[in-house]
Amino acid sequence: MENLFQSGRIKLRHIQCFLAVAQLNNLQRAAERLSITQPAVSKTLSELESVLGVRLFERGRRGAELTRDGRIFAPYAHNCLGSLRDGIGRLAQADDGASVTVALGILPTVASVLLPAALHAFRQAWPMASLRIHTGRNAELLERLKAADIEFAVGRLGEPDAMAGMSFEHLFREPLTVVVRAGHALLGDEALAPMAMARHLLIVPPEGTLIRQSAESVISAFGLPRHVARVESLSVSLSLELTLRNDAVWFVPSSLVERGVADNTLARLPMPFGGTDEPMGLLRRTDVAPSPAALSLLDALRRVGLQREQARVAPG
C-alpha cells in the first residue's frame, strides 16, 4: 500500500482538522478553533477521507459523529500529534524550556494550596517554562481537557459520561469544614442550635458543583431550615471578608482556611458527621501523551498531593 505520508498526500492540517472535529463534534466550532472557515473544514475532511478511502464522520442534526473507521483512526491521529509535540518539547528542554508553555486546569478551591509548592519544584527542572492556568468548575475543566485547551487538570472525578476517554489519578482527599470568625457567637454554644445558626448568612459553593452537595448534606444535618439565606461563591477573598466582617458561616474546603485557623483568625465549628471529604486527583485524556514539561509538573503535583494526604491521615 502506498505510504501516504511519504507521498505527501496526508498533511498536518488534515490531522489537526480531523482531531478538532472529533473533539468538538461540530464543524463550525472546529473552524473557529482552527481560525478557518467552515467550508474549509469540510473541504479538508473530504480530502482526508478521499485519501484514506473511508468515511470518517457522519454529519447530521447532532453534529459530526465519528464513524467506526473514524474511531479506529482517532487514537493514531492523536498519537501522531502527541509524538510531534513531545519532540518539540525535548528540543525546547535542551534550551532550558525557553519556548515551552504548559496549559493546565485546576479547581479554584485547591489551586492556592497545591500550585505554589508544586511550581517551586517544577521550576527547578524547567526554569524558563511558562504556565497558562485555567480555573473553573469541574465540568468546565473536563470540557477544556476534551477540547485540548489544556494538557491536564486537577479536579474531582466526573460523572461516567463526562469521563469517557479520561483517566483519574487520586492525589488526596479534601475535607469540607465550617468556619466562623474568632469570637463568633456560635462558638459559645456547646450544641449548635439550628435557629441560632439560621440567623447568620451561609456562604456555600455554587449550585452545580460537587462540593455544594456535601455542603447541603452538612446544612441538613445541622437541622437548618431549607430556605436559610445563602451567598454562593467560589471567591476565597470575598468569602473570607464576609466571614470576618459579616459574621457569616463559611462552608469551605479545609485546606483553604488552614492558615486562618492556625493563627486564630478563624475557628472551626464542630461537624455534625464525618465523611464529607472529596477525592481530588489528576484528570488526563487517555489518548494523548503529556509533553515533557507537563510530565514534570504532574510529578511535582503528585508529590505535593501525597504530602497533603499524609498530613490528613497522620494521627493527632
Side-chain angles (χ1 to χ4, degrees):
M1 183 177 179
E2 177 189 7
N3 188 313
L4 299 176
F5 268 112
Q6 287 185 357
S7 69
R9 297 180 65 193
I10 292 184
K11 304 182 185 299
L12 184 59
R13 63 182 176 85
H14 290 129
I15 303 299
Q16 292 172 317
C17 185
F18 167 79
L19 290 176
V21 177
Q23 290 160 5
L24 298 172
N25 303 115
N26 184 281
L27 269 65
Q28 181 58 46
R29 289 170 60 192
E32 292 170 359
R33 176 188 293 179
L34 297 169
S35 299
I36 58 177
T37 64
Q38 182 173 332
V41 170
S42 297
K43 182 175 183 293
T44 302
L45 288 180
S46 296
E47 290 175 358
L48 180 60
E49 290 175 330
S50 176
V51 171
L52 294 175
V54 297
R55 191 168 183 80
L56 299 172
F57 293 96
E58 291 291 346
R59 300 161 177 82
R61 295 178 62 184
R62 297 179 58 186
E65 299 286 340
L66 285 170
T67 63
R68 175 181 175 276
D69 290 320
R71 290 192 297 271
I72 291 173
F73 183 63
Y76 297 97
H78 281 301
N79 289 339
C80 171
L81 281 190
S83 295
L84 180 61
R85 185 174 59 193
D86 286 350
I88 294 172
R90 291 191 181 279
L91 289 175
Q93 188 176 18
D95 190 30
D96 292 329
S99 60
V100 170
T101 298
V102 178
L104 68 143
I106 189 167
L107 291 174
T109 50
V110 296
S112 62
V113 297
L114 282 187
L115 282 178
L119 291 186
H120 179 77
F122 172 72
R123 284 182 55 78
Q124 304 304 308
W126 294 82
M128 299 299 293
S130 298
L131 295 180
R132 188 167 68 249
I133 301 170
H134 299 276
T135 58
R137 299 184 183 187
N138 212 65
E140 296 169 358
L141 299 184
L142 286 170
E143 282 300 314
R144 283 188 177 274
L145 195 54
K146 181 179 179 181
D149 290 336
I150 55 178
E151 290 194 64
F152 67 90
V154 182
R156 298 179 177 86
L157 184 65
E159 297 295 329
D161 288 347
M163 290 299 296
M166 305 286 181
S167 68
F168 177 81
E169 178 186 344
H170 180 264
L171 289 180
F172 64 100
R173 300 189 72 88
E174 178 72 288
L176 181 76
T177 192
V178 184
V179 297
V180 294
R181 66 168 178 81
H184 196 285
L186 292 176
L187 295 172
D189 297 339
E190 293 185 7
L192 288 170
M195 293 312 298
M197 185 181 289
R199 287 194 291 269
H200 299 280
L201 189 67
L202 305 187
I203 305 174
V204 296
E207 283 280 6
T209 60
L210 293 175
I211 197 170
R212 173 63 176 268
Q213 300 174 19
S214 296
E216 291 297 337
S217 296
V218 174
I219 289 170
S220 178
F222 274 128
L224 291 170
R226 180 179 179 84
H227 298 296
V228 66
R230 293 170 169 84
V231 167
E232 299 183 4
S233 176
L234 285 175
S235 170
V236 176
S237 57
L238 172 61
S239 299
L240 178 60
E241 287 301 307
L242 291 175
T243 303
L244 294 177
R245 299 179 187 277
N246 293 71
D247 276 354
V249 180
W250 187 9
F251 292 72
V252 58
S254 180
S255 59
L256 291 180
V257 292
E258 287 175 349
R259 186 173 300 176
V261 171
D263 65 16
N264 295 318
T265 303
L266 299 171
R268 288 190 173 96
L269 295 179
M271 296 290 280
F273 63 87
T276 59
D277 49 317
E278 296 276 357
M280 297 289 176
L282 300 172
L283 297 160
R284 293 168 53 182
R285 286 174 46 165
T286 57
D287 57 355
V288 180
S291 65
L295 286 173
S296 180
L297 182 54
L298 282 165
D299 286 339
L301 286 164
R302 284 190 188 97
R303 290 193 293 272
V304 177
L306 177 60
Q307 291 168 1
R308 292 204 62 81
E309 187 68 356
Q310 291 173 336
R312 184 183 73 85
V313 302

